[in-house]
Amino acid sequence: MDIAVKYDIEVIKDEARHLVSKGLVNRQQPIYTLSKYITERDWPFFELELEKNEFLLRDRIIDLLSHEKWEED
C-alpha cells in the first residue's frame, strides 16, 4: 500500500525550523533546498501546500520561520 503524507503548513514550518537548528540548511537558502530532506514521493504534496499558502520555491527559508524564538548567547 502506498500512503502519501499530508503536509500542513505548520508541519512544513516545524520541519524547516528543525533543519535550520541542526545546521543542515541555512535561513537564506531558497525553500526548494528542503526538497533534499523530503521524499520524492511526498514532495508534490509539500509543494502544493506551500503554493496554497502563497510561498514560492525561490522564497527564502527564513520566510517560513516568521516566529522564531531568539535566546541570548
Side-chain angles (χ1 to χ4, degrees):
M1 185 186 294
D2 202 16
I3 299 175
V5 176
K6 176 166 181 346
Y7 283 93
D8 177 84
I9 194 63
E10 292 306 316
V11 171
I12 292 171
K13 288 178 178 183
D14 287 343
E15 184 65 23
R17 210 173 283 111
H18 176 73
L19 292 169
V20 167
S21 72
K22 285 193 151 220
L24 297 172
V25 296
N26 182 294
R27 290 172 177 81
Q28 297 303 319
Q29 289 178 290
I31 291 173
Y32 68 77
T33 305
L34 301 175
S35 67
K36 290 194 264 184
Y37 303 95
I38 305 299
T39 64
E40 198 173 309
R41 179 189 73 211
D42 292 337
W43 181 250
F45 301 106
F46 188 98
E47 206 173 343
L48 184 64
E49 185 67 15
L50 288 168
E51 287 176 17
K52 209 166 72 175
N53 287 277
E54 300 183 2
F55 288 101
L56 300 173
L57 294 179
R58 67 176 178 253
D59 290 343
R60 303 288 174 209
I61 291 172
I62 197 166
D63 296 336
L64 290 172
L65 309 177
S66 58
H67 293 98
E68 277 188 297
K69 289 182 184 176
W70 291 89
E71 296 179 18
E72 289 186 44
D73 290 335

